[in-house]
Amino acid sequence: MARDLRTRLIQFKIIHRMYWSPSKLYRVKLTTDQGCWKCSEEGTLTHMLWHCPKAQDFWTSVHECIQKVVGVEVPFCIRLYLLGGPPILTDDIAPVYAEWVQTAIMLGRKLLVQQWKSAHAPPITDWYNALTTVAASGQVRLVLL
C-alpha cells in the first residue's frame, strides 16, 4: 500500500506485533508498570493503537473526515484502520477513492506510532498536514467531482 520504505516498515511492525507496548515490556520485566502511556488501562498493542480513548478520539476524527470526502459509509473497524483490509473498501467505493482512503488511514497509523510514547494521541491537525504534504508531492491522485 505505502510507497516509502519507512511507512511499509511501520505496517509490517503493526501486523507482526513488533512494537514494544507497556504490557510487553512488563512481561519481559523491563518495567514495573503495564499501564498505557496515554491512559490507565493495560497497555497492550491493540489497546495502544485502537482501544485507548485518546487513540479512539484520533481515529474518530480521521474517520469523519474520510467519510466527508468520500461521501459513502466507510466501515469504522480495526481491520481497516490498523491492518489495512482493502477488500472492505472495494464493494462500495470507487477505486480512486479507495486508494485515497488507504493512504489517509496509513498516514494516521504512521502518526500514531511516531508519537508512540507520548501522553496524548497526535492532533488531527498533524494528520491534515501529513495528508496535505502527501497530496502536494503528487503521491495521491484524487479527483473531486
Side-chain angles (χ1 to χ4, degrees):
M1 163 55 220
R3 289 179 175 86
D4 64 296
L5 188 58
R6 183 173 179 161
T7 306
R8 287 182 187 191
L9 182 60
I10 288 170
Q11 181 71 20
F12 177 83
K13 285 181 174 183
I14 289 172
I15 290 171
H16 294 286
R17 305 177 74 67
M18 295 173 79
Y19 282 103
W20 285 70
S21 65
S23 178
K24 188 174 187 178
L25 291 169
Y26 178 78
R27 279 194 318 266
V28 296
K29 302 190 184 326
L30 292 175
T31 63
T32 57
D33 183 26
Q34 63 179 343
C36 172
W37 292 312
K38 296 172 179 29
C39 70
S40 59
E41 296 180 37
E42 183 182 357
T44 62
L45 181 66
T46 53
H47 171 81
M48 299 288 294
L49 295 174
W50 184 255
H51 296 294
C52 179
K54 293 183 180 181
Q56 272 295 303
D57 290 344
F58 172 74
W59 283 123
T60 301
S61 300
V62 168
H63 180 71
E64 289 170 358
C65 178
I66 288 172
Q67 289 205 146
K68 284 180 189 175
V69 170
V70 181
V72 296
E73 185 70 28
V74 175
F76 187 63
C77 61
I78 194 169
R79 184 173 156 209
L80 175 64
Y81 279 80
L82 287 189
L83 303 176
I88 296 173
L89 295 174
T90 57
D91 298 337
D92 300 328
I93 300 173
V96 67
Y97 287 116
E99 180 183 340
W100 182 84
V101 168
Q102 289 279 341
T103 302
I105 291 171
M106 187 62 221
L107 289 172
R109 283 185 224 126
K110 186 175 179 179
L111 285 172
L112 268 177
V113 297
Q114 282 176 343
Q115 297 184 18
W116 181 247
K117 292 187 177 183
S118 167
H120 54 81
I124 194 66
T125 53
D126 287 358
W127 180 76
Y128 289 133
N129 292 337
L131 198 56
T132 305
T133 302
V134 168
S137 69
Q139 293 180 359
V140 176
R141 297 174 309 275
L142 177 63
V143 179
L144 297 175
L145 304 175

